[in-house]
Amino acid sequence: AKTAGGYPGRLGSGEDYSTSVAVDQSDNVFITGYFNSPLFHIGSITLYDSSDYLLTKLFIAKYDSAGNL
């Protein structure tokens, strides 16, 4: 099983949520959501908020059938 952020339930330090998960015919998994953390981790990728306002940001992630981001 894959987890975002390295351990279950932890994506960043703020209010961070996945809002939708879908699987296509090739078993690719697509995840959408949003985050308010200054740093947001999903798999081995870290997204940074470079704004001064800490606005809500959207994300879309795709895992292939082997679990690679």
Side-chain angles (χ1 to χ4, degrees):
K2 294 283 182 178
T3 59
Y7 45 99
R10 182 66 180 225
L11 300 175
S13 60
E15 294 186 19
D16 310 316
Y17 299 97
S18 60
T19 56
S20 184
V21 176
V23 180
D24 68 12
Q25 293 178 345
S26 299
D27 290 330
N28 296 305
V29 177
F30 299 87
I31 304 169
T32 62
Y34 61 94
F35 65 102
N36 288 317
S37 298
L39 298 175
F40 177 78
H41 310 282
I42 186 160
S44 62
I45 296 174
T46 301
L47 303 176
Y48 299 91
D49 176 10
S50 61
S51 73
D52 293 332
Y53 303 107
L54 296 177
L55 300 173
T56 299
K57 285 79 56 193
L58 305 176
F59 72 88
I60 301 171
K62 174 189 169 191
Y63 287 94
D64 66 19
S65 61
N68 300 305
L69 186 59

